[in-house]
Amino acid sequence: SSGVRFFRIVTESFPRHVNYVYLVDFGDELVLWDCGSGLHSARAMILDGMRLLAHGYGYRVEPKDIDVLLVSHGHYDHFGDASWWKENAQAPLWIHELDARVVENFEERTVLTGRDMAVWLAAAGCSDDDVRALVSMYLASKEVYSSVAVDKRLRHGQRLFGNRARLIHTPGHYPGHVCMRVDDVLLVADQVLTPITPHL
């Protein structure tokens, strides 16, 4: 109702795993809501989607036009490409304060989570072979991600972008998961995953 424009872009973060990223144009500020996994093909799909906006809507946008990179939560299919977008857009990275540590200390978190997972699986009765296999599966390919500096830590209820957006902290899917309300639009990220976790 206030003239803010939303553009949804589809990206395949991993094989057969689709995510949406959004461009939110406030007129004087352009926000990229989530940034994909960092796989080359996922980034290419986002960049292709941006080019398609020019053909479909006459809306021309390039990475350098983005003013803020806002990540909904600390899962790497949503923030994995943050370092590339920060560098190419020269835009600050914003994320909820509970997930900032994940993004800024990704390697440490991976090691600690793998260790804690092994302890939990063993206590649950898994064999040594199963523990090794499951932890190995969890750790697979995580070495391609690296820590990224967070420029702004977000909190529940914050008004953003000239008071035109409100941040809503929605833990459950992830401790620092956020939604963002702009007028009558609510960006929900993974808070609503009908076929996976509808109970959230």
Side-chain angles (χ1 to χ4, degrees), residues 42-61:
R43 182 186 309 141
M45 287 182 74
I46 296 171
L47 294 171
D48 285 346
M50 292 170 82
R51 284 188 286 273
L52 285 171
L53 294 176
H55 294 292
Y57 299 97
Y59 185 83
R60 300 191 184 285
V61 63

PDB file of all heavy atoms in Angstrom, residues 42-61:
ATOM      1  N   ALA A  42      23.564 -21.830  -7.670  1.00  0.00           N
ATOM      2  CA  ALA A  42      22.549 -21.093  -6.914  1.00  0.00           C
ATOM      3  C   ALA A  42      22.704 -19.595  -7.141  1.00  0.00           C
ATOM      4  O   ALA A  42      21.720 -18.879  -7.357  1.00  0.00           O
ATOM      5  CB  ALA A  42      22.662 -21.424  -5.426  1.00  0.00           C
ATOM      6  N   ARG A  43      23.942 -19.113  -7.095  1.00  0.00           N
ATOM      7  CA  ARG A  43      24.183 -17.690  -7.358  1.00  0.00           C
ATOM      8  C   ARG A  43      23.787 -17.329  -8.782  1.00  0.00           C
ATOM      9  O   ARG A  43      23.178 -16.292  -9.029  1.00  0.00           O
ATOM     10  CB  ARG A  43      25.653 -17.355  -7.133  1.00  0.00           C
ATOM     11  CG  ARG A  43      25.954 -15.871  -7.350  1.00  0.00           C
ATOM     12  CD  ARG A  43      27.434 -15.574  -7.261  1.00  0.00           C
ATOM     13  NE  ARG A  43      28.006 -16.118  -6.057  1.00  0.00           N
ATOM     14  CZ  ARG A  43      29.217 -16.683  -6.003  1.00  0.00           C
ATOM     15  NH1 ARG A  43      29.977 -16.764  -7.078  1.00  0.00           N
ATOM     16  NH2 ARG A  43      29.675 -17.162  -4.862  1.00  0.00           N
ATOM     17  N   ALA A  44      24.124 -18.195  -9.727  1.00  0.00           N
ATOM     18  CA  ALA A  44      23.781 -17.936 -11.125  1.00  0.00           C
ATOM     19  C   ALA A  44      22.272 -17.804 -11.301  1.00  0.00           C
ATOM     20  O   ALA A  44      21.804 -16.954 -12.070  1.00  0.00           O
ATOM     21  CB  ALA A  44      24.333 -19.041 -12.023  1.00  0.00           C
ATOM     22  N   MET A  45      21.505 -18.623 -10.582  1.00  0.00           N
ATOM     23  CA  MET A  45      20.042 -18.529 -10.683  1.00  0.00           C
ATOM     24  C   MET A  45      19.535 -17.196 -10.130  1.00  0.00           C
ATOM     25  O   MET A  45      18.604 -16.606 -10.681  1.00  0.00           O
ATOM     26  CB  MET A  45      19.377 -19.698  -9.959  1.00  0.00           C
ATOM     27  CG  MET A  45      19.511 -21.021 -10.685  1.00  0.00           C
ATOM     28  SD  MET A  45      18.650 -22.368  -9.833  1.00  0.00           S
ATOM     29  CE  MET A  45      16.944 -21.954 -10.234  1.00  0.00           C
ATOM     30  N   ILE A  46      20.140 -16.714  -9.050  1.00  0.00           N
ATOM     31  CA  ILE A  46      19.727 -15.417  -8.494  1.00  0.00           C
ATOM     32  C   ILE A  46      20.060 -14.302  -9.480  1.00  0.00           C
ATOM     33  O   ILE A  46      19.231 -13.431  -9.756  1.00  0.00           O
ATOM     34  CB  ILE A  46      20.389 -15.162  -7.122  1.00  0.00           C
ATOM     35  CG1 ILE A  46      19.903 -16.197  -6.103  1.00  0.00           C
ATOM     36  CG2 ILE A  46      20.091 -13.752  -6.630  1.00  0.00           C
ATOM     37  CD1 ILE A  46      20.645 -16.170  -4.781  1.00  0.00           C
ATOM     38  N   LEU A  47      21.258 -14.346 -10.031  1.00  0.00           N
ATOM     39  CA  LEU A  47      21.651 -13.312 -11.000  1.00  0.00           C
ATOM     40  C   LEU A  47      20.790 -13.390 -12.257  1.00  0.00           C
ATOM     41  O   LEU A  47      20.389 -12.354 -12.805  1.00  0.00           O
ATOM     42  CB  LEU A  47      23.131 -13.452 -11.341  1.00  0.00           C
ATOM     43  CG  LEU A  47      24.092 -13.162 -10.182  1.00  0.00           C
ATOM     44  CD1 LEU A  47      25.520 -13.537 -10.546  1.00  0.00           C
ATOM     45  CD2 LEU A  47      23.997 -11.705  -9.751  1.00  0.00           C
ATOM     46  N   ASP A  48      20.461 -14.604 -12.713  1.00  0.00           N
ATOM     47  CA  ASP A  48      19.546 -14.756 -13.858  1.00  0.00           C
ATOM     48  C   ASP A  48      18.176 -14.185 -13.527  1.00  0.00           C
ATOM     49  O   ASP A  48      17.543 -13.528 -14.353  1.00  0.00           O
ATOM     50  CB  ASP A  48      19.405 -16.227 -14.260  1.00  0.00           C
ATOM     51  CG  ASP A  48      20.614 -16.760 -15.004  1.00  0.00           C
ATOM     52  OD1 ASP A  48      21.457 -15.951 -15.445  1.00  0.00           O
ATOM     53  OD2 ASP A  48      20.718 -17.997 -15.140  1.00  0.00           O
ATOM     54  N   GLY A  49      17.704 -14.452 -12.297  1.00  0.00           N
ATOM     55  CA  GLY A  49      16.417 -13.910 -11.871  1.00  0.00           C
ATOM     56  C   GLY A  49      16.410 -12.393 -11.882  1.00  0.00           C
ATOM     57  O   GLY A  49      15.423 -11.766 -12.278  1.00  0.00           O
ATOM     58  N   MET A  50      17.520 -11.802 -11.475  1.00  0.00           N
ATOM     59  CA  MET A  50      17.614 -10.339 -11.496  1.00  0.00           C
ATOM     60  C   MET A  50      17.555  -9.818 -12.933  1.00  0.00           C
ATOM     61  O   MET A  50      16.895  -8.823 -13.203  1.00  0.00           O
ATOM     62  CB  MET A  50      18.903  -9.896 -10.793  1.00  0.00           C
ATOM     63  CG  MET A  50      18.883 -10.165  -9.293  1.00  0.00           C
ATOM     64  SD  MET A  50      20.476  -9.915  -8.485  1.00  0.00           S
ATOM     65  CE  MET A  50      20.445  -8.155  -8.254  1.00  0.00           C
ATOM     66  N   ARG A  51      18.216 -10.531 -13.854  1.00  0.00           N
ATOM     67  CA  ARG A  51      18.158 -10.111 -15.256  1.00  0.00           C
ATOM     68  C   ARG A  51      16.752 -10.282 -15.831  1.00  0.00           C
ATOM     69  O   ARG A  51      16.295  -9.460 -16.633  1.00  0.00           O
ATOM     70  CB  ARG A  51      19.177 -10.905 -16.082  1.00  0.00           C
ATOM     71  CG  ARG A  51      20.610 -10.422 -15.870  1.00  0.00           C
ATOM     72  CD  ARG A  51      21.579 -11.082 -16.829  1.00  0.00           C
ATOM     73  NE  ARG A  51      21.859 -12.459 -16.480  1.00  0.00           N
ATOM     74  CZ  ARG A  51      22.825 -12.833 -15.625  1.00  0.00           C
ATOM     75  NH1 ARG A  51      23.580 -11.938 -15.045  1.00  0.00           N
ATOM     76  NH2 ARG A  51      23.021 -14.108 -15.379  1.00  0.00           N
ATOM     77  N   LEU A  52      16.058 -11.331 -15.418  1.00  0.00           N
ATOM     78  CA  LEU A  52      14.696 -11.554 -15.909  1.00  0.00           C
ATOM     79  C   LEU A  52      13.735 -10.448 -15.474  1.00  0.00           C
ATOM     80  O   LEU A  52      12.752 -10.171 -16.156  1.00  0.00           O
ATOM     81  CB  LEU A  52      14.174 -12.908 -15.435  1.00  0.00           C
ATOM     82  CG  LEU A  52      14.746 -14.125 -16.153  1.00  0.00           C
ATOM     83  CD1 LEU A  52      14.327 -15.412 -15.445  1.00  0.00           C
ATOM     84  CD2 LEU A  52      14.311 -14.148 -17.610  1.00  0.00           C
ATOM     85  N   LEU A  53      14.013  -9.822 -14.333  1.00  0.00           N
ATOM     86  CA  LEU A  53      13.160  -8.721 -13.882  1.00  0.00           C
ATOM     87  C   LEU A  53      13.140  -7.586 -14.895  1.00  0.00           C
ATOM     88  O   LEU A  53      12.123  -6.921 -15.067  1.00  0.00           O
ATOM     89  CB  LEU A  53      13.632  -8.196 -12.526  1.00  0.00           C
ATOM     90  CG  LEU A  53      13.491  -9.156 -11.348  1.00  0.00           C
ATOM     91  CD1 LEU A  53      14.088  -8.537 -10.094  1.00  0.00           C
ATOM     92  CD2 LEU A  53      12.047  -9.546 -11.133  1.00  0.00           C
ATOM     93  N   ALA A  54      14.255  -7.372 -15.563  1.00  0.00           N
ATOM     94  CA  ALA A  54      14.305  -6.318 -16.591  1.00  0.00           C
ATOM     95  C   ALA A  54      13.392  -6.673 -17.751  1.00  0.00           C
ATOM     96  O   ALA A  54      12.684  -5.811 -18.280  1.00  0.00           O
ATOM     97  CB  ALA A  54      15.735  -6.118 -17.078  1.00  0.00           C
ATOM     98  N   HIS A  55      13.377  -7.945 -18.135  1.00  0.00           N
ATOM     99  CA  HIS A  55      12.529  -8.375 -19.261  1.00  0.00           C
ATOM    100  C   HIS A  55      11.052  -8.414 -18.874  1.00  0.00           C
ATOM    101  O   HIS A  55      10.198  -7.995 -19.647  1.00  0.00           O
ATOM    102  CB  HIS A  55      12.966  -9.757 -19.754  1.00  0.00           C
ATOM    103  CG  HIS A  55      14.333  -9.764 -20.352  1.00  0.00           C
ATOM    104  ND1 HIS A  55      14.637  -9.126 -21.536  1.00  0.00           N
ATOM    105  CD2 HIS A  55      15.490 -10.317 -19.908  1.00  0.00           C
ATOM    106  CE1 HIS A  55      15.917  -9.295 -21.802  1.00  0.00           C
ATOM    107  NE2 HIS A  55      16.464 -10.005 -20.827  1.00  0.00           N
ATOM    108  N   GLY A  56      10.758  -8.922 -17.688  1.00  0.00           N
ATOM    109  CA  GLY A  56       9.362  -9.099 -17.294  1.00  0.00           C
ATOM    110  C   GLY A  56       8.689  -7.859 -16.734  1.00  0.00           C
ATOM    111  O   GLY A  56       7.490  -7.668 -16.907  1.00  0.00           O
ATOM    112  N   TYR A  57       9.477  -7.015 -16.062  1.00  0.00           N
ATOM    113  CA  TYR A  57       8.888  -5.873 -15.358  1.00  0.00           C
ATOM    114  C   TYR A  57       9.552  -4.551 -15.687  1.00  0.00           C
ATOM    115  O   TYR A  57       9.176  -3.528 -15.122  1.00  0.00           O
ATOM    116  CB  TYR A  57       8.958  -6.098 -13.841  1.00  0.00           C
ATOM    117  CG  TYR A  57       8.212  -7.313 -13.381  1.00  0.00           C
ATOM    118  CD1 TYR A  57       8.872  -8.518 -13.174  1.00  0.00           C
ATOM    119  CD2 TYR A  57       6.833  -7.271 -13.177  1.00  0.00           C
ATOM    120  CE1 TYR A  57       8.186  -9.643 -12.756  1.00  0.00           C
ATOM    121  CE2 TYR A  57       6.140  -8.388 -12.764  1.00  0.00           C
ATOM    122  CZ  TYR A  57       6.830  -9.577 -12.559  1.00  0.00           C
ATOM    123  OH  TYR A  57       6.142 -10.690 -12.160  1.00  0.00           O
ATOM    124  N   GLY A  58      10.560  -4.574 -16.545  1.00  0.00           N
ATOM    125  CA  GLY A  58      11.293  -3.348 -16.836  1.00  0.00           C
ATOM    126  C   GLY A  58      12.058  -2.845 -15.620  1.00  0.00           C
ATOM    127  O   GLY A  58      12.375  -1.665 -15.512  1.00  0.00           O
ATOM    128  N   TYR A  59      12.370  -3.758 -14.710  1.00  0.00           N
ATOM    129  CA  TYR A  59      13.032  -3.413 -13.460  1.00  0.00           C
ATOM    130  C   TYR A  59      14.488  -3.856 -13.563  1.00  0.00           C
ATOM    131  O   TYR A  59      14.799  -5.034 -13.513  1.00  0.00           O
ATOM    132  CB  TYR A  59      12.336  -4.113 -12.292  1.00  0.00           C
ATOM    133  CG  TYR A  59      12.867  -3.736 -10.930  1.00  0.00           C
ATOM    134  CD1 TYR A  59      12.416  -2.584 -10.293  1.00  0.00           C
ATOM    135  CD2 TYR A  59      13.809  -4.529 -10.293  1.00  0.00           C
ATOM    136  CE1 TYR A  59      12.902  -2.237  -9.036  1.00  0.00           C
ATOM    137  CE2 TYR A  59      14.297  -4.190  -9.037  1.00  0.00           C
ATOM    138  CZ  TYR A  59      13.839  -3.040  -8.424  1.00  0.00           C
ATOM    139  OH  TYR A  59      14.317  -2.695  -7.189  1.00  0.00           O
ATOM    140  N   ARG A  60      15.374  -2.914 -13.724  1.00  0.00           N
ATOM    141  CA  ARG A  60      16.788  -3.226 -13.899  1.00  0.00           C
ATOM    142  C   ARG A  60      17.511  -3.131 -12.561  1.00  0.00           C
ATOM    143  O   ARG A  60      17.445  -2.104 -11.888  1.00  0.00           O
ATOM    144  CB  ARG A  60      17.416  -2.276 -14.914  1.00  0.00           C
ATOM    145  CG  ARG A  60      16.761  -2.357 -16.258  1.00  0.00           C
ATOM    146  CD  ARG A  60      17.506  -1.629 -17.349  1.00  0.00           C
ATOM    147  NE  ARG A  60      16.753  -1.672 -18.591  1.00  0.00           N
ATOM    148  CZ  ARG A  60      16.655  -2.744 -19.382  1.00  0.00           C
ATOM    149  NH1 ARG A  60      17.261  -3.851 -19.044  1.00  0.00           N
ATOM    150  NH2 ARG A  60      15.944  -2.704 -20.488  1.00  0.00           N
ATOM    151  N   VAL A  61      18.182  -4.220 -12.209  1.00  0.00           N
ATOM    152  CA  VAL A  61      18.901  -4.261 -10.939  1.00  0.00           C
ATOM    153  C   VAL A  61      20.152  -5.122 -11.101  1.00  0.00           C
ATOM    154  O   VAL A  61      20.151  -6.108 -11.821  1.00  0.00           O
ATOM    155  CB  VAL A  61      17.988  -4.796  -9.807  1.00  0.00           C
ATOM    156  CG1 VAL A  61      17.547  -6.214 -10.062  1.00  0.00           C
ATOM    157  CG2 VAL A  61      18.651  -4.661  -8.450  1.00  0.00           C
TER     158      VAL A  61
END
